[in-house]
Amino acid sequence: MLPLLASTLLFPVHTDATAMNFSVNAIIPDNQIDKSKSYFDLRIAPGEEQTVHVTMTNETDKELTVLTSVNTATTNDNGIVDYSQEKPKLDNTLKHPIAEFTESAGEVVIPANSSKDYPIKITMPNEKIDGTILGGIYFKEKNQAKKETQSKEIQIENQYAYVIGMMLSQNDTEIKADLALNDITPTQINYRNVVTANLQNTEATILKDLDVQAEIFKKDGTKVLHEATKNNMRMAPNSNFNFPISWGTDEFKAGKYRMDMIATSGKQVWQWSEYFTIHDDTAKKLNDKALDIEPDYTWLYIVAGSLLALLILLLVFLWGRKSKKKEEE
């Protein structure tokens, strides 16, 4: 778990400034689109170069070393825009990751009780680009002490970092978001069986207020087997994430299934009805590793019921033979 510190509601993340030994502050330049914002929201022409600055302040009596990077925005599997990954797996529709045309130091030493300027050079691509290029300037103290919390099955390491958002554009052209449904996959999260549906924002714009509802049926069934709903998600431009549908305490059963999904963002609506298969070997492999599942004993009940029926028939037969023998005597 990696709580981050951010400067605005556009980058909604958990904050805990008391855990930090330093602070950061963006120096807003003249080409800022909205000067009331404390993150970078810049209009830069094709091929133009610009250097922006962040002031880093060491608030301790000891020298600090801070690790820094400009990270391309992605979307994590909780439906939250993520700026923490220095080398993320990028979506195949992303043509201009912000990390490829920014230059900055990867490590900054700040003397005790002092401030230091941190410059980031931006070189805009030469071609015309419509839409938003999104990322975040990420700051984390080197050799930061890690705080651990532990549950029965999961150990979590808490580290703290700052992120200052960086949003770049070349023009005012409005881009309409579009959402695609890709692979539907049986898998596990924290050793619990889930089916994930990969959702992809294929356009260079932030997809806001995303609500998703999914239901899973047998291939031609009408009874809902499993369902999931999540509201108020947000996706980075040209990114994807895996939306999970929990299988609860049920084992995976091999077979063909159907997933009906509806997604909405404002007035935009997307609907899908897609088939997928859980194969025998996949079901067995995942069930063997899963926690908290309740085995399906239906087959055992069927066998037990059949044996009971045979026993009753045998008793009736034997009773009939005995009665017939008495009549003959």
Side-chain angles (χ1 to χ4, degrees), residues 98-274:
I98 199 169
E100 291 188 1
F101 47 91
T102 56
E103 297 177 29
S104 58
E107 191 172 296
V108 178
V109 177
I110 315 174
N113 297 305
S114 64
S115 296
K116 195 164 189 176
D117 176 67
Y118 176 65
I120 303 105
K121 181 181 178 182
I122 304 166
T123 304
M124 208 65 166
N126 289 317
E127 67 267 33
K128 178 189 173 186
I129 299 171
D130 294 331
T132 299
I133 300 169
L134 185 64
I137 313 165
Y138 185 80
F139 304 86
K140 183 177 72 173
E141 184 180 342
K142 189 176 182 179
N143 301 321
Q144 179 182 159
K146 298 177 182 179
K147 297 180 181 180
E148 293 186 356
T149 58
Q150 192 165 354
S151 64
K152 184 178 179 181
E153 298 94 6
I154 305 168
Q155 180 172 300
I156 300 172
E157 282 189 353
N158 293 315
Q159 287 189 302
Y160 297 89
Y162 282 107
V163 169
I164 294 177
M166 179 176 282
M167 191 157 58
L168 308 178
S169 61
Q170 294 182 354
N171 54 56
D172 291 322
T173 302
E174 185 175 347
I175 301 295
K176 191 175 182 180
D178 197 13
L179 195 62
L181 172 63
N182 298 318
D183 296 337
I184 303 172
T185 308
T187 183
Q188 287 184 340
I189 297 176
N190 295 330
Y191 296 98
R192 269 78 176 183
N193 286 350
V194 300
V195 165
T196 60
N198 184 263
L199 292 173
Q200 181 182 34
N201 175 15
T202 60
E203 301 300 322
T205 187
I206 300 170
L207 181 55
K208 304 174 184 178
D209 302 322
L210 176 64
D211 300 337
V212 175
Q213 180 179 3
E215 296 178 330
I216 292 179
F217 307 80
K218 280 290 190 180
K219 181 183 176 183
D220 297 315
T222 57
K223 179 184 176 182
V224 177
L225 302 177
H226 302 281
E227 60 186 331
T229 301
K230 192 162 186 181
N231 300 321
N232 300 317
M233 293 183 289
R234 184 185 292 256
M235 295 185 69
N238 302 106
S239 69
N240 69 85
F241 78 103
N242 293 313
F243 181 83
I245 302 101
S246 172
W247 225 246
T249 58
D250 294 342
E251 289 185 318
F252 277 136
K253 294 180 184 177
K256 293 184 178 180
Y257 296 84
R258 182 182 84 253
M259 188 190 74
D260 292 348
M261 176 179 278
I262 181 168
T264 61
S265 174
K267 295 181 179 180
Q268 289 185 275
V269 180
W270 300 269
Q271 286 183 279
W272 302 275
S273 185
E274 298 289 341

